[in-house]
Amino acid sequence: MAIGAIEVFKSSGLVIPGDIAVTGFDGSNLSNYLFPSLTTIEQPLESITVNGLEKLLSIINGFKVEEKLSNDCTFITRQSCGCLSPQRHNFRNRSFSQNSIEDHYHYLNSIIEGEEDKSSLHNMFIEQLNKERIKKELLKDIYFIDCLASRQIEYNKSHNYLVDQWKLRTISNKISGRIYFRDILNEILDSLAQLDINYFKLYLIQEEVIYNNTLNLEDFTINLHLHYQDGSKVINSVEGIKKGTSDLFKSDDSVLVSTLNWNNIILGFFEICFIDMAENTYDILGDVISNSIYTSKIHLQMQDSQRKLEMSLAETRCLNEKLKTLSIRDEMTGLLNRRGFFELSETLLEEAKDNSLYQIFFIDMDGLKSINDNYGHDFGDTAIIELANTLKKCFRSNDVVARLGGDEFTVLIKSDDNYDFDHFKERLKLELNKLNITRKYRFKISASIGTTSFNKSSKSDLYKLLKEADNELYRVKKDKFREP
């Protein structure tokens, strides 16, 4: 870092250490061959590495180690801090040529010869320089400096490459971690700033395009979704919706246009300025954007499919409820049918306490056949519906009221002191009288009732209990219509 700082300061016209003093922590051999040479710290790197690995192995093996690990470093005083006087050579802002060792020799010779204030020491040095042995030794030193400089350049290239790859991995993880399209666009914008990109456009094809040799992109609609230039940004832009790719991109050589693909599907394009990074940067960035956008599309399709599935399941549940209702309800009266009566009654009895007392009523309309024969079946149906509505009024909401078929009805109630057969019989008689007075039909609506009581603990069969109530109804009807 300090070596780089010296080069920057020198390129800015600053004199080191006259205008600014520089010290470093590089400890590199190259520090001694700079002009001015760098005051720095020399670290025992080998010792630090060995000691660090030993401590790490001790920790892995469960041994206790000292909290601090120290190594002796050597402070080397050179010219960059102003502690030593550097030789004053006028380099005339000229850089070393790394093409050949001879160039270095001639360059050094021209520097010494160019000094106006030559001393006898300089002249002596020039004379010795021309001697072959001295010349060879000097060229060896220059070659050694050349090798160190080349090695440092390669290190810097490797370091920059690793930093670029780390940036790309970080950016790739962030973009790939997004599912929703707008979040992906926001992550792309953040990535552009990290990569020092000042121009970027993202175009996506509205239709799904499968690549083939005869494909003509002029037939498809291309939308501009992201436009970034010098810090200003537009997301989800609706401007620039165009047909085809003609006149869509910049015509100059400062940008690169790349296709966004997922397998053989062409998703769109991105337009990007050239950046000082590895050659594979554009490919990696394109692959990450392509995969993320396609994943977002698949996610949206899955959400849409899930939404349709949920709607379909809701419709199916609704239809099932309707089918279930139809299977347990009487279409004419809306009361439970025979199947519904037994299902609901059995459920009710299973949940009841053992000492609960219940009654079953078997109800039969009087004279339905006569109504049908004298007034028609429509009036017969009307009479059945009127009786069903009257039964609804007479019973509680938690009583099980059903039409078994024809003119036969049944009811299951839980008995108590104020709610039993006699109570219901009087209530039904009163309601039917009101009905006959208000409706003023040409016929009278009446009904006969048979009943049976049981305790849940008796575990009597519901079908047998209903049969007992039916037998009681038969006796009631026989007495009711017995000829005098």
Side-chain angles (χ1 to χ4, degrees):
M1 186 180 295
I3 295 174
I6 288 177
E7 295 301 323
V8 171
F9 290 146
K10 288 168 64 177
S11 64
S12 301
L14 295 173
V15 177
I16 302 171
D19 296 328
I20 185 170
V22 178
T23 60
F25 201 75
D26 298 274
S28 169
N29 291 329
L30 189 60
S31 304
N32 193 38
Y33 297 97
L34 296 175
F35 182 80
S37 56
L38 178 65
T39 299
T40 185
I41 299 294
E42 187 175 78
Q43 307 173 64
L45 298 179
E46 182 178 351
S47 175
I48 291 174
T49 303
V50 172
N51 291 339
L53 289 174
E54 288 177 351
K55 296 295 182 183
L56 180 60
L57 288 173
S58 298
I59 293 173
I60 293 173
N61 293 321
F63 296 108
K64 187 175 181 180
V65 298
E66 298 177 5
E67 294 184 1
K68 294 182 179 180
L69 177 64
S70 60
N71 286 274
D72 294 331
C73 298
T74 303
F75 180 70
I76 300 177
T77 303
R78 296 195 182 102
Q79 299 167 349
S80 65
C81 64
C83 302
L84 298 179
S85 299
Q87 289 180 331
R88 297 187 178 275
H89 293 305
N90 182 12
F91 279 80
R92 299 183 181 90
N93 297 322
R94 183 176 174 184
S95 60
F96 274 138
S97 168
Q98 298 182 8
N99 294 329
S100 68
I101 297 175
E102 290 293 335
D103 287 340
H104 290 294
Y105 166 71
H106 292 301
Y107 176 54
L108 184 60
N109 191 21
S110 66
I111 291 172
I112 297 174
E113 290 180 350
E115 290 288 345
E116 297 178 359
D117 195 14
K118 291 191 177 77
S119 65
S120 58
L121 181 62
H122 288 164
N123 293 329
M124 186 185 302
F125 180 76
I126 293 298
E127 291 177 4
Q128 295 297 323
L129 187 64
N130 290 321
K131 294 182 179 179
E132 191 65 23
R133 185 179 62 80
I134 300 298
K135 180 178 178 181
K136 286 182 179 181
E137 292 297 324
L138 181 61
L139 291 180
K140 284 182 182 179
D141 290 341
I142 294 176
Y143 177 74
F144 177 68
I145 297 174
D146 232 5
C147 291
L148 290 176
S150 299
R151 192 181 306 171
Q152 185 68 26
I153 292 170
E154 291 300 320
Y155 168 78
N156 291 338
K157 287 182 178 179
S158 300
H159 177 265
N160 293 338
Y161 175 80
L162 291 175
V163 170
D164 292 344
Q165 295 303 305
W166 174 79
K167 284 184 180 180
L168 284 174
R169 282 197 300 271
T170 304
I171 290 168
S172 299
N173 291 336
K174 286 185 177 181
I175 297 177
S176 302
R178 300 299 180 180
I179 296 178
Y180 298 103
F181 182 64
R182 190 171 184 85
D183 292 339
I184 294 173
L185 295 182
N186 285 324
E187 287 296 346
I188 292 175
L189 280 175
D190 293 340
S191 304
L192 297 178
Q194 294 181 42
L195 295 174
D196 297 326
I197 296 172
N198 55 23
Y199 178 82
F200 184 89
K201 281 187 175 182
L202 176 65
Y203 300 92
L204 296 180
I205 301 175
Q206 189 167 302
E207 306 88 347
E208 183 170 294
V209 181
I210 308 297
Y211 177 78
N212 59 69
N213 295 331
T214 61
L215 180 66
N216 185 6
L217 291 176
E218 303 299 322
D219 299 331
F220 300 99
T221 303
I222 300 176
N223 301 334
L224 173 63
H225 284 276
L226 180 61
H227 183 190
Y228 177 84
Q229 186 168 3
D230 297 328
S232 62
K233 56 188 177 182
V234 178
I235 298 179
N236 282 343
S237 174
V238 293
E239 67 165 281
I241 298 178
K242 300 181 180 180
K243 280 282 188 181
T245 57
S246 58
D247 302 326
L248 194 63
F249 309 113
K250 278 188 174 183
S251 58
D252 56 53
D253 297 331
S254 63
V255 298
L256 170 74
V257 178
S258 182
T259 308
L260 296 171
N261 300 316
W262 194 87
N263 288 343
N264 61 338
I265 300 175
I266 300 178
L267 302 174
F269 311 88
F270 70 91
E271 191 177 8
I272 187 172
C273 63
F274 285 103
I275 52 178
D276 186 19
M277 291 188 72
E279 294 180 0
N280 65 343
T281 301
Y282 307 103
D283 294 334
I284 294 174
L285 193 60
D287 290 342
V288 171
I289 295 175
S290 298
N291 292 337
S292 299
I293 290 175
Y294 189 77
T295 302
S296 175
K297 284 189 173 184
I298 295 298
H299 179 71
L300 287 177
Q301 292 174 4
M302 289 176 62
Q303 281 189 322
D304 186 55
S305 299
Q306 184 176 359
R307 186 164 50 250
K308 290 179 179 178
L309 178 60
E310 289 174 353
M311 292 175 61
S312 178
L313 290 175
E315 291 176 0
T316 302
R317 283 193 296 269
C318 184
L319 289 174
N320 287 337
E321 289 294 329
K322 289 181 179 179
L323 290 173
K324 184 178 180 180
T325 300
L326 291 173
S327 68
I328 64 174
R329 290 282 172 184
D330 177 59
E331 185 177 0
M332 181 186 295
T333 63
L335 297 176
L336 293 171
N337 58 19
R338 177 181 289 270
R339 178 180 178 182
F341 172 77
F342 282 103
E343 285 186 2
L344 188 57
S345 297
E346 288 172 355
T347 302
L348 184 65
L349 292 174
E350 286 177 1
E351 296 175 353
K353 297 179 180 179
D354 288 342
N355 59 350
S356 300
L357 183 64
Y358 287 89
Q359 282 186 311
I360 290 180
F361 301 132
F362 204 106
I363 306 162
D364 185 81
M365 179 184 287
D366 297 331
L368 178 61
K369 184 177 184 304
S370 175
I371 296 172
N372 285 334
D373 292 343
N374 294 323
Y375 305 102
H377 286 276
D378 288 342
F379 279 99
D381 291 344
T382 300
I384 291 172
I385 294 171
E386 292 286 9
L387 179 57
N389 292 334
T390 303
L391 291 174
K392 292 177 185 177
K393 292 180 182 179
C394 294
F395 289 98
R396 300 167 300 188
S397 60
N398 59 338
D399 295 331
V400 184
V401 184
R403 180 190 178 204
L404 298 178
D407 57 356
E408 295 179 339
F409 297 84
T410 186
V411 183
L412 173 68
I413 70 168
K414 184 177 180 181
S415 301
D416 55 44
D417 295 338
N418 298 319
Y419 196 78
D420 56 11
F421 173 70
D422 293 332
H423 171 85
F424 163 69
K425 185 177 179 180
E426 290 300 321
R427 177 77 185 276
L428 179 61
K429 183 179 179 180
L430 178 63
E431 291 294 336
L432 288 177
N433 286 336
K434 288 181 182 179
L435 175 67
N436 289 323
I437 292 172
T438 56
R439 298 299 192 198
K440 296 180 180 179
Y441 292 122
R442 290 174 289 174
F443 51 84
K444 297 293 182 182
I445 299 175
S446 63
S448 300
I449 308 169
T451 183
T452 184
S453 300
F454 68 97
N455 191 298
K456 184 193 173 185
S457 59
S458 63
K459 301 187 183 301
S460 299
D461 182 79
L462 197 58
Y463 289 91
K464 292 181 179 180
L465 293 169
L466 195 60
K467 183 63 177 175
E468 290 177 9
D470 187 21
N471 291 336
E472 178 65 21
L473 171 67
Y474 177 75
R475 287 190 292 270
V476 170
K477 274 207 171 239
K478 188 176 180 180
D479 294 339
K480 189 175 183 180
F481 296 103
R482 182 181 299 164
E483 295 182 5

